[in-house]
């Protein structure tokens, strides 16, 4: 009726709203697919995975006219399809104590992650004990104590240089005696001498298995998102040193969007239990494939 009224009164009506900018569509061609590949590689996804994702996206769609939003949506869907099977919380078993061995290079966020996990389990009513298994680094032990205090969880320590396996054994004994639900064992992250580290980790496992042949129930590998593609070689290395059962990726609150997680999921299929999203005690989140894919594709 306004149009009618407009004509009736002899003046042009103003549009109710500015018209939306026209959506630009471009036919999907080789050049665009190549550009997409480059974007994904720049996002740390790795060449193989980037190629697989773009070829899945392109399949049956070459020549189709698509907007940026449509392409982003398709990319995000491809990525969440890869990530969905690995997005699994850390499994809990009907055992007491459940042993969680935590491995990773120094600086990856092991201590912080142990503190955050301990706090979450403590809040959920589980009795948790932490063992400071990196007995050579006094600073690491101190830092773990700080996190134990924050989480309200006891930290078992030993004199500097004590055999970590002996501390692990004592921690198992205490965890059993006190009826603890979870024992989280921190470990050294010196990759400079892999042979030593491998023997150290193997000895910890051997010793706790004397107490419980099914332990450790989880072996978490902590990875730092800011190391990008390096995370791939860390997984390869640590899988040789220990029976890694799941991953935690830290520092996803910064500029690193963790594209390497897609490559990791594609290549190893290890569960991603949680992500670190800050330095505070509550900054540990479940891994959500859709949120992750959306953040990655912008
Ligand atoms: P560790 O040597 O593997 O035990 O590493 P730490 O737990 O000491 O962490 C190393 C550094 O990374 C510390 O400064 C932590 O505050 C920081 N950090 C750990 N996790 C996160 C995270 O999810 N986000 C951010 N921004 N920093 C983190």
């Amino acid at each position: 009726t306004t149009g009618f009224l407009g004509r009736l009164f002899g003046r042009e009506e103003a549009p109710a709203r500015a018209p939306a900018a026209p959506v630009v569509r471009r036919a999907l061609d080789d050049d665009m697919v190549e550009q997409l590949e480059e974007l994904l590689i720049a996002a740390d996804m790795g060449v193989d995975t980037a190629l697989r994702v773009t070829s899945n996206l392109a399949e049956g769609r070459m020549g189709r006219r698509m907007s940026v939003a449509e392409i982003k949506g398709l990319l995000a869907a491809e990525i969440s399809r890869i990530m969905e099977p690995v997005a699994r919380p850390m499994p809990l078993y009907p055992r007491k104590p459940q042993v969680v061995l935590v491995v990773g290079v120094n600086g990856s966020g092991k201590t912080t992650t142990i503190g955050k996990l301990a706090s979450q389990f403590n809040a959920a009513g589980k009795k948790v004990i932490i063992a400071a298994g990196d007995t050579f680094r006094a600073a690491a032990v101190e830092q773990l104590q700080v996190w134990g205090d924050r989480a309200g969880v006891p930290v078992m320590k030993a004199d500097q240089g004590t055999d970590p396996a002996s501390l692990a054994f004592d921690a198992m004994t205490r965890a059993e005696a006190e009826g603890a639900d979870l024992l989280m064992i921190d470990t050294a992250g010196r990759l400079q001498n892999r042979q030593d580290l491998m023997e150290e980790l193997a000895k910890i496992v051997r010793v706790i298995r004397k107490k419980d042949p099914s332990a450790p129930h989880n072996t978490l590998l902590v990875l730092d998102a800011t190391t990008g593609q390096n995370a791939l070689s860390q997984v390869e290395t640590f899988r040789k040193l220990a029976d890694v059962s799941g991953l935690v990726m830290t520092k996803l609150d910064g500029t690193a969007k963790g594209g390497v997680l897609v490559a990791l999921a594609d290549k190893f299929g290890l569960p991603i239990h949680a992500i670190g999203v800050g330095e505070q005690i509550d900054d540990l989140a479940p891994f959500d494939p859709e949120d992750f894919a959306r953040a990655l594709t912008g």
Side-chain angles (χ1 to χ4, degrees), residues 113 116 225 248-254 274-278 283-285:
T113 302
K116 292 171 177 175
V248 175
M249 179 152 277
T250 64
K251 308 185 197 179
L252 275 172
D253 48 307
I275 55 170
V277 291
D283 294 333
L284 187 76

Side-chain angles (χ1 to χ4, degrees), residues 61-134:
R61 294 195 181 94
M62 291 307 272
R64 188 185 296 184
R65 295 180 66 76
M66 283 193 275
S67 67
V68 171
E70 279 162 344
I71 289 178
K72 275 187 185 173
L74 289 171
L75 266 186
E78 277 300 325
I79 292 168
S80 26
R81 210 166 52 82
I82 297 176
M83 303 315 283
E84 248 145 38
V86 298
R88 295 207 297 274
M90 187 175 86
L92 293 176
Y93 302 94
R95 289 282 317 186
K96 259 188 174 193
Q98 279 184 66
V99 182
V100 181
L101 195 64
V102 184
V103 302
V105 299
N106 291 340
S108 61
K110 279 195 304 292
T111 309
T112 310
T113 302
I114 291 172
K116 292 171 177 175
L117 278 172
S119 164
Q120 289 193 2
F121 285 120
N122 192 34
K126 305 255 182 233
K127 191 171 161 60
V128 185
I129 293 178
I130 295 172
D134 188 357

Side-chain angles (χ1 to χ4, degrees), residues 156-296:
M156 270 195 80
K157 293 175 285 193
D159 292 338
Q160 192 168 1
T162 301
D163 184 350
S166 134
L167 173 72
F169 188 82
D170 291 348
M172 271 302 266
T173 309
R174 174 170 169 188
E176 283 173 351
E178 294 183 3
D181 297 293
L182 271 151
L183 170 62
M184 306 191 68
I185 305 177
D186 186 23
T187 62
R190 293 169 266 111
L191 272 188
Q192 296 82 346
N193 192 335
R194 286 177 199 197
Q195 195 56 36
D196 276 1
L197 185 56
M198 187 184 312
E199 280 161 21
E200 187 171 312
L201 293 173
K203 194 169 174 195
I204 293 174
V205 169
R206 225 168 32 240
V207 153
I208 55 179
R209 282 193 180 150
K210 286 193 179 150
K211 293 267 185 192
D212 178 353
S214 68
H217 305 92
N218 283 285
T219 300
L220 301 187
L221 172 59
V222 178
L223 299 166
D224 174 344
T226 64
T227 64
Q229 285 289 293
N230 205 264
L232 282 162
S233 62
Q234 286 179 25
V235 174
E236 257 158 27
T237 301
F238 274 95
R239 288 216 316 169
K240 290 182 195 134
L241 303 181
D243 194 5
V244 174
S245 60
L247 308 175
V248 175
M249 179 152 277
T250 64
K251 308 185 197 179
L252 275 172
D253 48 307
T255 48
K257 292 203 163 62
V260 69
L261 277 176
V262 187
L264 289 171
D266 198 26
K267 194 158 179 205
F268 300 104
L270 283 166
I272 301 164
H273 296 320
I275 55 170
V277 291
E279 297 186 82
Q280 305 303 313
I281 200 151
D282 292 326
D283 294 333
L284 187 76
F287 177 71
D288 183 306
E290 277 175 33
D291 286 353
F292 170 80
R294 257 197 305 274
L296 197 60

